[in-house]
Amino acid sequence: MELEMGSPQTGHQADFDPHVKPADPLTEEGLRERACLMALELSRLEQRNPCTIACAESLTGGLLCDFIVSVPGSSAYFERGFITYANRAKQEMLGVSPEILENEGAVSHACAKAMVEGVLRHSGARLAVALTGIAGPTGGSEQKPVGTVFIAF
């Protein structure tokens, strides 16, 4: 599955895990569109290679889960979703370390990777997806502008 993710401002594409890739900053409309497309792609992937799917969402607050369950037949493969908007939720529900959150931030490659690993540890799913980022309209910085998104699978 090919997904676009991350932040073009980092300039460290070669340093990224192959499962967490940079993408163009997203608008709210673009975020909704990509979440919908991701849900459809997960459905297609599951049809080709039957498995169970679970996800963790931060910036989307359940939007991906909503799109996943709106796909007919998703009850056969969608196991659960973790809505971990707050850092405390990321730590308690997914086991994201305080060090990652303090040193890298919740919007980072390291956090997305830790989130997806936590989904796999705390669910019976064979495929996991995690999203974290800054949807805006406020909260961005020069290093992590509004629209920065990291997705791990």
Side-chain angles (χ1 to χ4, degrees):
M1 172 185 339
E2 185 175 318
L3 300 172
E4 298 177 5
M5 318 155 212
S7 170
Q9 283 72 25
T10 63
H12 298 291
Q13 292 183 12
D15 297 337
F16 281 32
D17 182 289
H19 295 87
V20 182
K21 301 176 184 178
D24 297 328
L26 295 177
T27 62
E28 182 179 343
E29 182 179 317
L31 185 60
R32 292 183 65 77
E33 180 181 322
R34 288 189 188 189
C36 182
L37 291 172
M38 184 183 296
L40 292 171
E41 184 60 29
L42 288 169
S43 173
R44 284 188 217 111
L45 177 66
E46 191 281 331
Q47 289 171 1
R48 290 191 304 267
N49 183 19
C51 64
T52 51
I53 298 171
C55 63
E57 300 181 66
S58 183
L59 86 151
T60 48
L63 183 64
L64 179 59
C65 291
D66 182 44
F67 282 127
I68 289 172
V69 299
S70 70
V71 175
S74 61
S75 61
Y77 58 84
F78 183 65
E79 188 196 76
R80 70 180 78 186
F82 298 86
I83 310 306
T84 57
Y85 204 74
N87 286 350
R88 182 174 153 201
K90 290 173 185 65
Q91 292 173 348
E92 292 175 357
M93 297 173 74
L94 301 173
V96 176
S97 76
E99 293 78 23
I100 287 175
L101 295 168
E102 186 174 315
N103 297 330
E104 305 290 329
V107 179
S108 67
H109 165 260
C111 185
K113 185 176 179 191
M115 288 171 67
V116 82
E117 290 168 352
V119 171
L120 290 172
R121 271 193 316 276
H122 298 288
S123 73
R126 289 186 45 222
L127 174 64
V129 180
L131 300 92
T132 185
I134 304 169
T138 62
S141 67
E142 191 173 310
Q143 294 80 23
K144 297 177 184 178
V146 168
T148 300
V149 177
F150 289 91
I151 303 172
F153 60 95

